[in-house]
Amino acid sequence: MATAATDSYEGKPLTQLFPYEDRPGWKGYIEWEDRLDRKEVVRELLKRREFPHPPEFQFAPLPTTNPVLGGERFKAYHEAIGLNQIVDVSWETVLKEKPNMTHLLQFPYNGETKFEDLMKEKLTDNSLHFVRNHGGVPYIDEDALEISIGGLVKQPVKITMKDLKDSTKFPQAEVTITLQCSGTRRREQIEQYPGDGDELINAPWGEGAIGTAVYKGVPLKQVLKIAAGGVLPECQHIELIGADTYFKKGEVYNYAVSVPYRTVLMNERVLLAWEMNGKPLPKIHGFPLRAVVAGYIGARSTKWLYKINALAEPSMGPVQRQEYLYYTPQLGKQNVTYSNGFSIQDMPVSSAILSPTDKSVIIHDGHIELQGWAYSGGGNWVERVEVSPDGGHVWYQVDPDDMTEKHYYAWRLWKTKLPVDAEGWLEFCVRTWDSSCNTEPTFVRSAWNWDLHVTSSAHRIKVYSVNKMKPATARRLKELAEHGQGMEPLSRPLAFPLENADEYRANYEKHPREPKN
């Protein structure tokens, strides 16, 4: 909470330092990159306070609340510079647009799709698509938005949404794209080998940080060519800047990342999108305009896009240079730096079992049905999905007829029935092969890295198998039903004798414990 010593700056209330509406029709946006004076004020304000440490969610049980984590540190950053309204408006937006999500992080909002919703159909409903935000949600009027294009272009320019959406000026495209957070399945790494514990950068995602939609917009390649006359020869990267506010180690920024220009040249791979599944972008997904970079880590798909710069090297924004880095297992808190990891761009091949869930008790007739998703980035499509009922020794291919159609930049949902004779605890796992013959490491240890990104190992679940086709099991299930009981909770002891005295005596005498001689 603010105190008398910290609720003002040079006699001015904190709430009056930075305008909530920095431009007409741009609420929740504050320009930082072109205002070094503002950055200096924020730097001083942040030095005046002590902020809470990130919560411990790796060496301690993950809370079972919803929201799971509150993001108190990032809320405190905003409070320290008088921007509480951004926090409040963002949560109001979540409750309106994303009421049925697992709220992994309340602020900045990180929301995960529930498994049953993820498997409903190939395209994820807008209200159920996962969200991974790095700051608050700006409210920008479409008619007020101007997109600035500058840097190493032949003709710096500003274009309106009206111009951008005019199909006589810019060719439009619709592309089916899966977006995936690099933290998808991070909990598997956390549970075995904890790493960096920043609750925003390394939020404890499960298997629901992925979703698929049809995005409509204009390829960035065409916008640069038509509106800005193309780029200069020295241009190698395109920077994408969003209107949200981001903090990193005592500094404040507008969200900024970049993609190589060679990626932009692939036309549909980088889209300036205003529509998602046939509807205007939800505010929490970047309305009125966002970038969608197909096949890449989701962090490159800037929301609330308002500025594009052609650069000779990657963006200097911290999200580009200091985060989403992949390290070797020998690097960690003792020796990690920004420069000894490499930037994650294309997403690797990965997959997950969403049904049944881990630690389920499955009563079956000799077959168990599994369902899940499979995805590969970089324009590689999913070619084959294989599942194993014994931890990865024997693999069964999923029938292609039981998979959704192929796309260059989207997942395939799958289902299959596996023959299962064994009872008790079994370990199922899934792996995917893509069109370039890439597959997944067998164990999570092979993919561990300090920032806990791209958990691309074969996904594993443990289930308790109850095969009702076995006579003894069928008898026990009948007994349970007669006593008004079931197999769950699995650990609850039976309330009746395991067998009567006559049965026990007969079985004991038939198979005595000790030899006769």
Side-chain angles (χ1 to χ4, degrees):
M1 296 295 293
T3 66
T6 61
D7 62 2
S8 64
Y9 179 80
E10 295 184 350
K12 192 173 185 179
L14 294 180
T15 55
Q16 297 179 18
L17 284 179
F18 308 112
Y20 179 70
E21 190 170 355
D22 207 1
R23 301 180 188 176
W26 294 47
K27 296 177 181 178
Y29 153 78
I30 298 96
E31 178 58 46
W32 302 112
E33 301 312 308
D34 294 338
R35 292 294 301 273
L36 298 183
D37 57 324
R38 290 179 174 178
K39 282 177 170 273
E40 180 57 36
V41 172
V42 171
R43 192 176 297 120
E44 293 182 30
L45 288 171
L46 295 179
K47 286 180 180 178
R48 300 192 323 190
R49 291 214 184 178
E50 293 291 330
F51 295 98
H53 292 296
E56 180 54 69
F57 57 84
Q58 298 195 35
F59 287 99
L62 198 63
T64 57
T65 53
N66 193 23
V68 180
L69 302 174
E72 303 307 321
R73 188 161 53 107
F74 288 86
K75 293 176 186 177
Y77 292 155
H78 285 72
E79 180 187 20
I81 65 173
L83 294 178
N84 291 33
Q85 189 174 0
I86 288 179
V87 177
D88 296 339
V89 170
S90 294
W91 183 238
E92 291 169 4
T93 307
V94 172
L95 296 178
K96 181 179 179 180
E97 295 188 347
K98 299 287 178 177
N100 298 316
M101 304 283 283
T102 297
H103 305 309
L104 190 61
L105 183 64
Q106 186 177 32
F107 185 83
Y109 184 65
N110 283 219
E112 185 168 348
T113 311
K114 296 176 182 178
F115 293 175
E116 60 269 24
D117 292 327
L118 206 58
M119 292 301 299
K120 284 180 177 177
E121 55 185 325
K122 180 185 71 175
L123 298 181
T124 313
D125 186 87
N126 291 359
S127 67
L128 301 172
H129 197 290
F130 91 99
V131 178
R132 197 276 188 260
N133 287 342
H134 295 75
V137 179
Y139 273 49
I140 301 175
D141 294 340
E142 179 174 323
D143 292 341
L145 179 63
E146 278 191 333
I147 305 100
S148 298
I149 303 177
L152 300 173
V153 294
K154 294 179 180 177
Q155 180 182 320
V157 67
K158 292 183 178 181
I159 56 177
T160 66
M161 282 296 295
K162 181 179 180 181
D163 287 336
L164 188 66
K165 295 171 77 170
D166 187 340
S167 60
T168 66
K169 297 179 180 179
F170 299 99
Q172 299 181 0
E174 290 190 5
V175 187
T176 303
I177 295 173
T178 292
L179 288 180
Q180 181 184 18
C181 179
S182 72
T184 308
R185 297 175 48 202
R186 178 174 280 133
R187 289 184 199 174
E188 296 165 53
Q189 295 195 58
I190 288 173
E191 289 167 1
Q192 295 190 44
Y193 309 100
D196 189 277
D198 187 298
E199 77 272 34
L200 173 61
I201 303 170
N202 302 309
W205 293 101
E207 295 83 61
I210 187 171
T212 300
V214 176
Y215 293 93
K216 180 178 179 179
V218 176
L220 177 55
K221 171 186 175 181
Q222 301 298 330
V223 175
L224 292 172
K225 178 182 178 181
I226 296 169
V231 302
L232 300 177
E234 54 267 41
C235 170
Q236 296 295 318
H237 298 267
I238 303 297
E239 183 179 49
L240 306 167
I241 301 180
D244 43 335
T245 291
Y246 187 60
F247 293 90
K248 179 76 173 182
K249 297 192 181 298
E251 302 285 343
V252 68
Y253 305 86
N254 292 112
Y255 186 87
V257 292
S258 60
V259 294
Y261 181 55
R262 66 180 182 276
T263 301
V264 174
L265 288 175
M266 296 174 72
N267 207 47
E268 78 274 10
R269 281 208 68 177
V270 186
L271 203 64
L272 303 188
W274 57 79
E275 195 173 281
M276 181 178 180
N277 286 332
K279 300 177 182 178
L281 286 170
K283 287 182 170 59
I284 206 164
H285 282 286
F287 179 87
L289 187 70
R290 71 172 299 171
V292 183
V293 185
Y296 262 42
I297 174 178
R300 307 299 178 233
S301 293
T302 302
K303 305 181 190 76
W304 311 289
L305 182 69
Y306 76 103
K307 191 182 295 185
I308 299 168
N309 292 318
L311 306 175
E313 59 181 35
S315 169
M316 290 302 297
V319 178
Q320 184 70 37
R321 295 277 189 155
Q322 300 175 21
E323 299 171 14
Y324 299 102
L325 304 173
Y326 200 83
Y327 297 105
T328 77
Q330 295 295 313
L331 297 176
K333 193 170 185 176
Q334 74 280 6
N335 58 3
V336 71
T337 65
Y338 299 135
S339 60
N340 59 13
F342 67 83
S343 179
I344 304 168
Q345 300 282 52
D346 285 328
M347 289 300 290
V349 60
S350 61
S351 54
I353 300 169
L354 298 190
S355 177
T357 55
D358 192 42
K359 304 294 177 62
S360 293
V361 176
I362 308 296
I363 300 173
H364 60 90
D365 60 358
H367 291 82
I368 293 180
E369 182 173 291
L370 288 81
Q371 298 180 54
W373 56 259
Y375 172 67
S376 189
N380 295 303
W381 59 91
V382 170
E383 189 62 43
R384 180 189 302 162
V385 176
E386 298 174 335
V387 289
S388 169
D390 61 359
H393 296 281
V394 176
W395 296 90
Y396 294 84
Q397 180 180 350
V398 174
D399 191 324
D401 289 338
D402 290 326
M403 300 169 65
T404 56
E405 64 183 307
K406 298 177 183 178
H407 292 274
Y408 284 108
Y409 301 113
W411 66 5
R412 300 182 75 180
L413 303 181
W414 57 268
K415 63 180 180 179
T416 191
K417 275 192 173 183
L418 284 185
V420 177
D421 180 70
E423 296 193 287
W425 285 109
L426 304 178
E427 184 175 68
F428 291 86
C429 54
V430 59
R431 68 184 180 189
T432 294
W433 297 84
D434 71 14
S435 55
S436 295
C437 293
N438 299 307
T439 193
E440 303 170 63
T442 304
F443 299 104
V444 69
R445 185 68 179 92
S446 303
W448 183 86
N449 58 98
W450 174 244
D451 274 1
L452 308 169
H453 288 301
V454 288
T455 310
S456 57
S457 54
H459 182 232
R460 297 170 179 272
I461 63 167
K462 295 178 177 64
V463 302
Y464 194 85
S465 168
V466 181
N467 190 343
K468 64 183 181 182
M469 303 307 291
K470 293 181 177 291
T473 299
R475 287 195 299 271
R476 176 55 50 82
L477 292 173
K478 182 180 179 181
E479 288 178 308
L480 284 166
E482 290 171 348
H483 286 82
Q485 298 178 32
M487 282 296 297
E488 297 184 80
L490 180 65
S491 57
R492 180 177 294 172
L494 293 173
F496 52 88
L498 304 186
E499 58 185 336
N500 63 42
D502 291 339
E503 289 173 332
Y504 175 75
R505 172 60 62 182
N507 286 323
Y508 180 82
E509 291 177 352
K510 182 178 181 181
H511 303 288
R513 170 65 176 82
E514 305 296 334
K516 293 182 177 180
N517 55 56

